[in-house]
Amino acid sequence: QVQLAESGGGSAQAGGSLRLSCAASGSTDCMGWFRQAPGKEREGVARIYMGTGVAYYGASVQGRFSITRNDAKNTMFLEMNTLKVEDTAMYYCAAAHFGKCGGEIPDFTFRGQGTQVTVSS
């Protein structure tokens, strides 16, 4: 069982930036972020493959968010720039082995407890 611990959430003004981190207790093949705002469905934000660094982004964050990883430390980061009010949500870290990496991020095998991001206008 891999444990995930998120950090870095908080508040920002629209147009500002925040950086999220996720540390895994063991190695995985892919890691990602998904978010959920009150009354809305879970939304995949970004995923990254730990070996190659290949990353994919959701349409709503493409060009504004950047996902990176540190393989040696089993750690992943999400740099969020040009934040919008609609980015306000609970952000969850998730991880999986290859069999699940191509699926929906919220369905990844391992998930963290979440960290709140609030963007104000």
Side-chain angles (χ1 to χ4, degrees):
Q1 187 76 7
V2 174
Q3 307 292 327
L4 301 174
E6 303 103 333
S7 60
S11 299
Q13 294 282 325
S17 300
L18 284 172
R19 186 176 192 241
L20 305 183
S21 301
C22 177
S25 62
S27 63
T28 58
D29 298 309
C30 60
M31 298 183 75
W33 296 92
F34 68 95
R35 66 187 182 186
Q36 188 165 26
K40 295 188 177 181
E41 293 188 358
R42 295 179 301 180
E43 177 189 10
V45 174
R47 76 182 73 196
I48 189 165
Y49 286 81
M50 300 302 282
T52 63
V54 174
Y56 299 93
Y57 298 90
S60 62
V61 306
Q62 180 77 47
R64 299 188 297 120
F65 290 10
S66 176
I67 187 170
T68 57
R69 93 286 185 215
N70 182 322
D71 288 348
K73 296 183 178 180
N74 296 321
T75 305
M76 171 185 63
F77 307 95
L78 185 69
E79 191 75 38
M80 304 185 294
N81 298 313
T82 318
L83 283 163
K84 302 178 180 180
V85 172
E86 50 264 42
D87 292 321
T88 296
M90 185 72 79
Y91 283 70
Y92 298 88
C93 173
H97 296 299
F98 272 129
K100 288 254 186 179
C101 287
E104 297 294 324
I105 301 171
D107 295 332
F108 281 8
T109 306
F110 312 109
R111 292 178 293 276
Q113 295 298 308
T115 184
Q116 179 67 38
V117 170
T118 302
V119 184
S120 57
S121 59

